Amino acid sequence: MTTKPNGFSRRALLKWLAGLSAIGALSSLLYRSRRPAATGESPHIISRSEWGAEDPDPSLRDEQGPELFNTVVVHHSALPRTDGPREIQAGHMHGRGFLDIGYHFVIDDRGYIYEGRSLAVHGAHASGHNAGTLGIVLLGNFEETEPTPGQLASLKSLIRYLVGKHPLTHLAGHRDFQPGKTVCPGRNLAARLPRLAAESGLKFGTDGYVGPEPASTTPALTQRVAPASPAPNANTR
Ligand SMILES: [Zn+2]
C-alpha cells in the first residue's frame, strides 16, 4: 500500500481540527450559559421540560394559597451523583407515593441547577416540617464525600436569588429539623451551612419555622398509603 502525502489529506485534517474546535467553543458557551450568576440575579435554572420531568399528580395543590417560604432546608441525595432529578422524581412518585419530586431545586455535581417541585406548593422533603420550607437537594452523599466547588457556588447563588424573591429568614440542614432521625445533608455539607446562612443574610437553624403542619398530614411522607387508608393531605406528598 502506498502513502498519499498530498495536500488533500492535510486539508482534511485541518478541517477536522477546525470542526473539533468549533464543537469545543460551542460546548464551552453552553456550559458558561448554564453557570450560576455571580450575584442577586437569577442563576440559570434548567426547567422541568428541559430535564424531562413527569407532570405532577393533578391533586398536588396548596389549599391555603401560594406557599410563603421562611426557611431554606438543604439536603443531600445520598445517592450516586449520576442519579439526577429524573431518578429522584421517579423514586419519590413511584417508590414513595409522592405527588411530585419532593424538592424545589436539585443541584448536580457540575453546579447545574434544576427546577423541581413548583414553588407555589409545599415541598415533601422534611417530614412534619414542610409548611414554609423550601427544599434544595445537592446530588451526592456528603457523609462520605465533599460537595464540589460548583455545587457550593450554585447553592450560594441560588439562595441569594431566592432571598430576593421570598420572605426567607432562616437556613437549616434537614437533620436540624429531624435530629437523630437523619444525617442529611451529610457532615461535610452540614458543616458549611452556618457560614452559608450568614453570607446569605439568613439566620442558621429551625427557629424561623412557622408551621405547624396539619397533624393529619405527617405520616404520609415516607410511606405509600394503602388504598384502604384515609387519604393523606397533599401537603406532605
Ligand atoms: Zn434530606
Side-chain angles (χ1 to χ4, degrees):
M1 186 180 276
T2 56
T3 53
K4 293 197 291 180
N6 57 31
F8 175 76
S9 61
R10 199 175 303 128
R11 274 201 305 279
L13 177 66
L14 287 172
K15 209 169 159 185
W16 180 71
L17 286 173
L20 273 189
S21 125
I23 290 168
L26 182 63
S27 60
S28 116
L29 189 69
L30 283 173
Y31 182 69
R32 271 203 300 277
S33 76
R34 289 182 169 183
R35 298 300 297 158
T39 51
E41 75 232 54
S42 174
H44 182 84
I45 296 169
I46 298 168
S47 69
R48 291 175 64 103
S49 61
E50 284 176 296
W51 62 261
E54 254 185 80
D55 288 338
D57 187 286
S59 65
L60 179 61
R61 64 184 174 278
D62 228 324
E63 285 83 359
Q64 280 92 35
E67 190 65 16
L68 288 176
F69 294 106
N70 52 62
T71 304
V72 173
V73 182
V74 178
H75 302 262
H76 69 167
S77 64
L79 295 168
R81 286 178 173 176
T82 46
D83 280 1
R86 274 193 296 270
E87 287 77 11
I88 293 174
Q89 186 187 34
H92 282 184
M93 292 182 77
H94 307 302
R96 298 170 72 179
F98 291 7
L99 303 176
D100 193 359
I101 186 170
Y103 309 109
H104 295 100
F105 293 98
V106 177
I107 303 177
D108 75 13
D109 60 353
R110 300 164 298 180
Y112 288 8
I113 303 170
Y114 302 82
E115 176 188 22
R117 183 177 289 219
S118 165
L119 288 169
V121 294
H122 288 222
H125 56 93
S127 185
H129 297 89
N130 284 300
T133 54
L134 196 158
I136 302 175
V137 66
L138 277 62
L139 300 184
N141 185 332
F142 307 123
E143 276 292 283
E144 296 167 2
T145 62
E146 293 281 344
T148 67
Q151 275 180 312
L152 293 169
S154 290
L155 178 62
K156 192 170 168 180
S157 70
L158 177 61
I159 290 171
R160 199 175 296 176
Y161 167 66
L162 292 169
V163 163
K165 305 279 275 183
H166 300 275
L168 293 162
T169 56
H170 285 69
L171 180 147
H174 182 183
R175 69 182 193 178
D176 300 307
F177 278 106
Q178 296 183 275
K181 294 193 172 168
T182 178
V183 297
C184 178
R187 62 171 77 97
N188 297 325
L189 180 52
R192 300 169 190 267
L193 296 184
R195 184 172 169 188
L196 176 64
E199 290 171 345
S200 308
L202 299 173
K203 296 193 178 93
F204 176 73
T206 61
D207 290 350
Y209 185 72
V210 176
E213 197 145 356
S216 63
T217 69
T218 45
L221 183 65
T222 55
Q223 291 170 346
R224 176 179 280 278
V225 176
S229 303
N233 188 301
N235 286 347
T236 51
R237 296 193 299 152

